[in-house]
Amino acid sequence: MNTSLLVYSVSLFILVLMTVGIAYQAFFDLQQRGSRTLGVLALAMAEWGFFYYLELVLPSYTLKVLARKILYLGMTMSGPLWLAFALRYSGRLPWWVKNGRVFLLFIPGAIAFLFGLTNELHHLIWSKIEIPMGGVGGLILE
C-alpha cells in the first residue's frame, strides 16, 4: 500500500469515527429541533464512509464490489436526510409529515440503491468494474 493511500484510508477511518460520535451526541441532545434527524443523517454518512474505507483496504474483488454496493445505501439516503434535517430544523417538516409525504423524499435513493444491488442484471449503474493494479485501492468504475 503506498503512503498516500495509507494516509487517506487512516484519515477516512478517523472521519467515520468522528461522524459516529456526532450521531451519538445528536441522539442525546433531544431538546434541539432536528437532533434525531441529524443523528440518522450522521449514521448514514458514517455507513457511507465505512464501506468506502472497506472498499479501499479489502484485497478481494468480490468483497470490494459488495462494499461498494452497501455504501450506496448511505450515499443515496444522505441527500434526502439532509433535506429532512433542514425541513425539521427550520420548522417546515409538519407539512410533509401531516400529509404523509415524507416517504417521497426517500424513493429516488431507494431506487438507486436497488439498482446498485442488482447491477449485474442490467449494468445501469456501472457498465464495467475493475480492480486496481495490485488489488489495493478503490474500484475502477465505468
Side-chain angles (χ1 to χ4, degrees):
M1 183 182 295
N2 64 25
T3 307
S4 61
L5 185 60
L6 178 65
V7 169
Y8 180 72
S9 60
V10 168
S11 300
L12 182 61
F13 191 74
I14 291 169
L15 178 70
V16 168
L17 292 177
M18 290 172 60
T19 309
V20 169
I22 291 169
Y24 178 80
Q25 185 69 29
F27 280 125
F28 288 106
D29 187 17
L30 298 178
Q31 290 84 7
Q32 196 67 289
R33 187 176 5 182
S35 63
R36 275 184 261 153
T37 310
L38 178 63
V40 174
L41 170 62
L43 285 179
M45 294 172 66
E47 185 268 344
W48 178 4
F50 178 71
F51 282 99
Y52 184 60
Y53 167 79
L54 288 180
E55 179 188 332
L56 291 176
V57 300
L58 290 173
S60 164
Y61 173 78
T62 308
L63 292 175
K64 282 181 178 289
V65 171
L66 181 63
R68 171 57 73 158
K69 288 180 177 185
I70 294 172
L71 81 79
Y72 253 58
L73 181 62
M75 185 176 75
T76 58
M77 292 300 143
S78 292
L81 284 168
W82 267 113
L83 180 58
F85 169 68
L87 290 171
R88 184 172 300 277
Y89 190 76
S90 66
R92 298 183 188 261
L93 191 64
W95 180 82
W96 285 87
V97 173
K98 184 176 75 171
N99 296 325
R101 295 183 179 123
V102 75
F103 77 94
L104 295 173
L105 298 174
F106 298 94
I107 290 174
I111 290 171
F113 174 63
L114 290 175
F115 278 162
L117 282 179
T118 61
N119 186 64
E120 287 78 21
L121 300 174
H122 46 72
H123 299 286
L124 290 173
I125 303 293
W126 312 293
S127 60
K128 186 175 166 186
I129 303 173
E130 295 178 0
I131 195 161
M133 191 72 71
V136 178
L139 292 170
I140 301 167
L141 306 169
E142 218 175 89

